[in-house]
Amino acid sequence: MKMTSKRGFVVLLLVVAVVAGMGFLAYKLAVNGENWATLRANAHLTENGSFIAAGNITDRNGEILAKTENNERIYNDSERIRRSTLHIVGDTEGYISSGVQTAYKTQLIGYNRITGLYSLVKNGRGNDVELTLDSELCAIAYDKLNGRKGVVAAYNYKTGELLCSVSSGSYDIRNKPSAEEIAENKNGQYDGIYMNRLIDGLYTPGSTFKIVAAASACENKQGIDDWEYTCKGETTIDGVKVTCPRSHGKLSFKTAFSNSCNCAFAELSADLGAERLTATAKEFGFGEGFSFGKGQTEKSRFDLSEAEKGDIGWAGVGQYTTLVNPYHMLSLVGSIANGGTAVLPYAVSTIATPEGRVVEKAAAESREYISSDIAKKLEDLMRFTVEDNYGDWRFKGLQMCGKTGTAEVSDDEEPHSWFVGFSKNSDCPVAIVVVVENGGWGSSAALPIASAVMEGAYKALS
Ligand SMILES: [Zn+2]
């Protein structure tokens, strides 16, 4: 009796141990299975540290950007497409952390918590990823950047599909720079080379910020349309001098915006004050990160907590300490085009098995920034600016609305050149952001790039 009970106790202990052990294993598999399966040391999947059995990555037109053939990862034949899509497609070593080949690696090799690597074993490759990008449009933007560093991104502001997304500097994934070359970084050519500047970049916005200041004026100042100002080329606010490149003379609110008059917008902003400007910037998503792929965008910064009146003036024209993330800026102009609500840009359209069964489909997120009334007023200001200042000839048939920016960064560097805008033509519902680092005037560097990419987008969509 004593014996039996002792044996029973031992058996019970064993059962408990086995069940606990299985539970622990199941838990570990659920938590770590993806990592185990995608471990670069896993010889079934990798060769020389690269994923060899990953599925295809294609653009919106089915153009193959990356595929696996005979255990080798093969990229598009065109160097301009390889370079221009590098930061969205990503690398297989994981240096470009937001790239699809890293962020979506479990999907690409077809790992599933229930069936493990079943689809990989069955099909010889994982799932295919279709992007929203038009790779030829990316290449046009890359050509126009012509070796300069910066960002060009354009998206459908109705659906959120990112059509063009280029981050420069870039490199050719077929001829990767060596670790030594990157460490040496001759002439700064590899500065931030692994960073997708659209997602992780932060730039002084310059006059593109006048869009936010104008929104704040429309929200807070009665009779803003009757407001008048005479620009003498410079003004002093509480001892701080603000200058324009020339005297703009007598201006209305509308012509102060279209001429991008610093004096007028600095006075207007100082008058609005820190609280009201900050409230409008917050409304517009400053200080927020947005989900993109499996990660988050860098947060735009607007902080007037220490600002004197003169600083507020400079902040109103996009200088001071303000920094803007290009993805955020793209969503901001997209919201103006879309009645105040931004459909947030995304790049992965579908993930499907090699037989074509869709396992994941993108669902665009929306974020309401401003009222439709304010959006309409900003649209009119930006439309007038293209008609009156940049010229409709640059954007034929597009009814383009836009704003340039020339952002001072330091005394011994050229300013960053910006253009943001969108087309009102319903056949081409596309918004765009262009930043050329140290490119000089917004109108001379960024504007012609925007013109070429918008023309390409119009052709691609119609
Ligand atoms: Zn002026």
Side-chain angles (χ1 to χ4, degrees):
M1 184 65 195
K2 204 180 166 190
M3 195 63 191
T4 322
S5 108
K6 198 174 178 184
R7 204 177 290 150
F9 182 66
V10 169
V11 168
L12 182 70
L13 260 186
L14 275 174
V15 169
V16 168
V18 167
V19 169
M22 280 173 69
F24 181 69
L25 262 180
Y27 166 76
K28 285 300 243 184
L29 186 67
V31 172
N32 295 323
E34 287 183 16
N35 292 335
W36 290 343
T38 57
L39 208 64
R40 287 174 207 292
N42 188 334
H44 301 300
L45 302 173
T46 62
E47 196 170 274
N48 304 325
S50 290
F51 288 111
I52 49 177
N56 299 344
I57 301 176
T58 53
D59 82 347
R60 64 187 295 110
N61 303 313
E63 180 74 18
I64 290 191
L65 304 178
K67 65 178 174 182
T68 297
E69 235 173 56
N70 304 321
N71 289 350
E72 204 186 331
R73 203 68 178 140
I74 312 234
Y75 297 91
N76 193 279
D77 280 339
S78 153
E79 183 179 339
R80 53 201 281 279
I81 287 181
R82 291 196 300 273
R83 283 177 175 269
S84 63
T85 59
L86 174 74
H87 292 88
I88 293 288
V89 171
D91 59 343
T92 50
E93 294 89 350
Y95 293 125
I96 303 169
S97 57
S98 60
V100 165
Q101 299 207 85
T102 297
Y104 289 82
K105 69 181 174 193
T106 51
Q107 288 88 341
L108 274 170
I109 63 164
Y111 177 77
N112 177 306
R113 274 184 193 171
I114 312 296
T115 59
L117 289 168
Y118 173 75
S119 77
L120 175 70
V121 173
K122 185 176 154 225
N123 301 312
R125 73 167 203 258
N127 295 321
D128 297 335
V129 172
E130 188 187 303
L131 302 176
T132 57
L133 296 184
D134 182 309
S135 57
E136 179 52 31
L137 196 59
C138 296
I140 289 172
Y142 187 80
D143 291 346
K144 289 287 166 190
L145 275 165
N146 196 20
R148 292 169 293 182
K149 294 194 184 75
V151 179
V152 182
Y155 90 119
N156 183 322
Y157 55 75
K158 296 273 179 208
T159 64
E161 293 161 286
L162 202 50
L163 303 169
C164 168
S165 176
V166 176
S167 178
S168 172
S170 186
Y171 62 87
D172 183 359
I173 198 154
R174 271 198 198 167
N175 297 296
K176 291 175 222 174
S178 67
E180 292 75 35
E181 282 174 291
I182 288 177
E184 193 189 350
N185 194 16
K186 230 185 238 169
N187 307 320
Q189 63 174 320
Y190 296 124
D191 287 342
I193 194 80
Y194 296 130
M195 178 172 103
N196 184 341
R197 285 162 156 83
L198 177 69
I199 306 308
D200 299 319
L202 278 177
Y203 296 100
T204 302
S207 295
T208 58
F209 190 82
K210 285 177 185 148
I211 295 169
V212 180
S216 196
C218 291
E219 285 175 339
N220 294 294
K221 279 191 167 291
Q222 291 272 318
I224 186 69
D225 295 331
D226 302 324
W227 185 83
E228 280 183 356
Y229 182 79
T230 302
C231 169
K232 296 178 178 129
E234 63 173 67
T235 185
T236 306
I237 302 170
D238 263 11
V240 177
K241 200 157 109 175
V242 175
T243 54
C244 280
R246 64 181 174 90
S247 296
H248 288 112
K250 202 176 167 196
L251 300 165
S252 65
F253 178 56
K254 198 167 144 179
T255 55
F257 186 90
S258 70
N259 283 284
S260 204
C261 178
N262 286 342
C263 298
F265 268 81
E267 294 278 5
L268 198 54
S269 300
D271 194 31
L272 281 163
E275 208 171 298
R276 286 186 282 197
L277 271 179
T278 304
T280 307
K282 267 198 175 151
E283 241 178 22
F284 257 132
F286 279 73
E288 274 177 51
F290 303 90
S291 53
F292 181 79
K294 302 293 178 190
Q296 273 226 325
T297 63
E298 190 60 65
K299 295 169 183 163
S300 295
R301 297 171 197 172
F302 186 75
D303 180 8
L304 297 183
S305 57
E306 310 270 309
E308 308 277 339
K309 210 165 181 189
D311 299 330
I312 299 172
W314 274 117
V317 302
Q319 294 292 151
Y320 191 51
T321 59
T322 307
L323 291 171
V324 173
N325 168 258
Y327 175 100
H328 170 224
M329 186 53 104
L330 182 62
S331 76
L332 191 155
V333 285
S335 79
I336 297 168
N338 197 41
T341 297
V343 180
L344 297 171
Y346 65 90
V348 170
S349 166
T350 56
I351 298 169
T353 63
E355 312 89 82
R357 187 172 58 84
V358 173
V359 289
E360 264 183 71
K361 198 169 167 45
E365 283 177 47
S366 289
R367 167 77 164 78
E368 190 186 330
Y369 285 144
I370 46 166
S371 72
S372 56
D373 287 356
I374 300 294
K376 179 74 179 81
K377 285 190 166 163
L378 296 173
E379 180 184 285
D380 290 346
L381 286 174
M382 291 169 76
R383 177 76 192 110
F384 178 71
T385 302
V386 173
E387 286 175 315
D388 183 53
N389 191 348
Y390 316 141
D392 263 339
W393 60 270
R394 289 183 186 272
F395 301 98
K396 282 195 187 97
L398 287 170
Q399 294 169 269
M400 196 69 185
C401 307
K403 183 76 194 81
T404 55
T406 306
E408 303 290 341
V409 281
S410 74
D411 288 341
D412 49 5
E413 282 176 300
E414 285 292 305
H416 292 335
S417 174
W418 281 84
F419 180 86
V420 296
F422 56 89
S423 160
K424 279 179 69 174
N425 182 334
S426 58
D427 291 334
C428 184
V430 174
I432 187 165
V433 61
V434 178
V435 187
V436 185
E437 292 177 20
N438 311 116
W441 289 97
S443 53
S444 60
L447 181 60
I449 298 175
S451 165
V453 172
M454 286 304 297
E455 188 189 331
Y458 194 14
K459 269 188 204 150
L461 293 182
S462 55

